[in-house]
Amino acid sequence: MKARLDKILADSGLGTRSSVRDLIKSGTVKVNGISEKDPGKKVDTDMDEIIVRGELIDFRDKVYYMLNKPAGVITATEDKKQTTVIDLIKDKKRRDLFPVGRLDKDTVGLLLITNDGDLAHRLLAPGKHVKKTYLVRVDGIITDEIKSGIEKGVDIGDEKLTAPAELREIKLLEDADVTAAGEHAADGVSEAKITITEGRYHEIKRMFEAFGLNVIYLKRLSMGGLKLDPDLQEGQWKILSEEEIVLLSKESSEA
Ligand code: URA
């Protein structure tokens, strides 16, 4: 890929666009061994070698991080008041990172952070149907009727029903207070794994709300064939390997 020298250096985290321009003009940047003073010089990121103050710049085009998102952090690139998921990637060398898709502030778990717009588009475009599996806890009982409703598609107030989702490993975590009529009651907490293929706003919360159940905990476990690394504590991240990135576009295995 060819790009302006000042853009490449700013994206690599060396400074703002204007500070890297000053750096280039001062003659401290070498391209293929020759001092380059033109910030607009087109550089080929696949072929050319850039050295700044004796250090080789790692401008690998694409970077991919897996974050175990903690609660209380917003899925955005920057915010004046609140901590964002990008703020958590402390060693970032690049300024062009963004989260792929969105988890609610109180949702935890797998979030992919990258600068690869094509991959994000491939994963998020409507109709792509990348499977996303979550562990969900709700305040109440997930009855057979709710399970089959969610598996068929739910009216959550949008134009269309939600796409059919999978619901499995349903467990009751506390003694539930089932009414005589067999209706769910507020006292029990149920847990399940749910797999959805869309990414509508508050989708899972709204699916359960349609049946009168409140989601009290939501954790994303997998995206496509990529699973949340169990060694990552909430707030921790790791750089993904090439093999793991390929998994994203694969069919999901059981999360
Ligand atoms: N569905 C939700 O309701 N919230 C999320 O964060 C993700 C899916």
Side-chain angles (χ1 to χ4, degrees), residues 3-246:
R4 287 175 61 105
L5 182 58
D6 55 357
K7 180 173 188 323
I8 291 174
L9 293 186
D11 285 350
S12 302
L14 241 80
T16 61
R17 198 78 172 246
S18 75
S19 71
V20 298
R21 261 180 220 146
D22 292 344
L23 194 73
I24 296 165
K25 285 180 192 156
S26 76
T28 40
V29 177
K30 285 185 177 170
V31 177
N32 299 327
I34 298 166
S35 175
E36 177 57 67
K37 290 189 175 177
D38 175 9
K41 170 86 181 170
K42 284 275 166 41
V43 176
D44 186 337
T45 53
D46 296 320
M47 309 284 290
D48 297 328
E49 183 189 74
I50 305 178
I51 293 183
V52 179
R53 293 191 210 95
E55 250 186 67
L56 182 67
I57 300 302
D58 178 8
F59 51 80
R60 270 178 308 163
D61 269 344
K62 307 287 185 259
V63 282
Y64 307 87
Y65 294 90
M66 173 191 284
L67 170 71
N68 184 353
K69 180 191 171 296
V73 170
I74 59 167
T75 308
T77 48
E78 52 185 9
D79 193 88
K80 288 210 170 69
K81 294 201 184 104
Q82 305 191 65
T83 307
T84 71
V85 289
I86 303 297
D87 294 332
L88 298 181
I89 311 288
K90 292 289 183 218
D91 96 325
K92 60 180 169 292
K93 304 219 168 46
R94 311 199 51 112
R95 289 168 175 269
D96 53 355
L97 297 177
F98 60 88
V100 177
R102 193 179 168 283
L103 293 178
D104 295 337
K105 189 172 173 184
D106 56 356
T107 300
V108 300
L110 173 62
L111 186 69
L112 180 68
I113 291 175
T114 185
N115 59 343
D116 184 346
D118 292 339
L119 179 83
H121 180 74
R122 285 203 301 279
L123 294 173
L124 299 179
K128 293 292 172 190
H129 305 303
V130 173
K131 289 185 174 182
K132 285 149 286 196
T133 297
Y134 295 78
L135 180 73
V136 62
R137 292 194 189 121
V138 296
D139 193 354
I141 295 176
I142 302 172
T143 60
D144 288 348
E145 178 204 348
I146 295 175
K147 175 172 157 54
S148 66
I150 285 179
E151 287 175 347
K152 278 193 203 117
V154 187
D155 180 357
I156 57 172
D158 292 346
E159 253 175 45
K160 280 187 175 173
L161 299 185
T162 56
E166 291 164 32
L167 204 55
R168 59 183 194 282
E169 297 177 46
I170 300 172
K171 289 180 202 146
L172 196 53
L173 298 184
E174 290 165 22
D175 277 348
D177 184 10
V178 185
T179 65
E183 288 160 1
H184 59 265
D187 297 352
V189 169
S190 304
E191 183 181 276
K193 285 186 182 167
I194 179 165
T195 301
I196 59 173
T197 55
E198 302 174 299
R200 299 194 207 176
Y201 182 65
H202 289 335
E203 179 157 358
I204 295 176
K205 291 176 181 162
R206 287 157 71 208
M207 283 164 114
F208 283 99
E209 263 161 29
F211 294 99
L213 297 183
N214 250 332
V215 170
I216 54 174
Y217 177 80
L218 193 57
K219 175 179 187 174
R220 183 149 69 191
L221 302 175
S222 68
M223 246 179 122
L226 181 69
K227 288 182 189 164
L228 177 65
D229 184 334
D231 292 335
L232 285 183
Q233 303 298 310
E234 281 178 20
Q236 289 185 329
W237 50 265
K238 68 170 192 177
I239 291 181
L240 288 178
S241 65
E242 297 276 330
E243 293 80 33
E244 287 172 305
I245 296 153
V246 171

